[in-house]
Amino acid sequence: MTTPADAQEIAHIKSKLDAEIAGYDPATADAGFHDLNAARFAEFKAALIEPKLMEVNLPGGITDHAWAVTTPKGPYRVFWLPWSDVFSLAVESKFGPCDISVHGDAIGCYASV
């Protein structure tokens, strides 16, 4: 069941994603490799999901809950870390998703794989 606080966080995440998508220009991103950037951008948009709260393993043996925002890309997926106000790349493991300290914008995290 989605709580009012969860709904507010989901709206915040979606607005961040919408702003990134609206401001992304494949011709100027990542040193201007337009065709590669356009393909990564299309793949990123296709991988977006309704934000889903999941337990994530963090560096130092800490676990917390973060919001998955993409389907897995191989063993990787992008999460929203609400306590840091940033997107992060995590890798799946037998213990669940593990944050690998690749942080920043969602498109950049996704494209780094």
Side-chain angles (χ1 to χ4, degrees):
M1 182 173 156
T2 303
T3 68
D6 288 346
Q8 185 177 7
E9 189 66 24
I10 290 168
H12 175 70
I13 294 165
K14 287 181 170 184
S15 78
K16 297 283 257 186
L17 290 168
D18 289 346
E20 270 193 53
I21 290 167
Y24 189 80
D25 180 3
T28 59
D30 298 326
F33 297 106
H34 183 272
D35 292 343
L36 178 61
N37 293 337
R40 286 180 177 162
F41 186 51
E43 186 180 349
F44 168 76
K45 289 192 304 183
L48 287 173
I49 61 170
E50 184 71 17
K52 177 181 175 184
L53 194 60
M54 297 178 68
E55 189 171 68
V56 178
N57 298 292
L58 303 167
I62 299 167
T63 59
D64 207 335
H65 288 86
W67 296 88
V69 298
T70 67
T71 58
K73 181 178 182 180
Y76 300 95
R77 75 165 61 211
V78 178
F79 281 83
W80 169 254
L81 306 180
W83 59 88
S84 295
D85 198 35
V86 70
F87 290 98
S88 176
L89 190 62
V91 65
E92 295 291 336
S93 76
K94 67 180 184 177
F95 305 108
C98 296
D99 177 277
I100 58 173
S101 297
V102 174
H103 300 139
D105 63 272
I107 298 168
C109 287
Y110 189 84
S112 68
V113 181

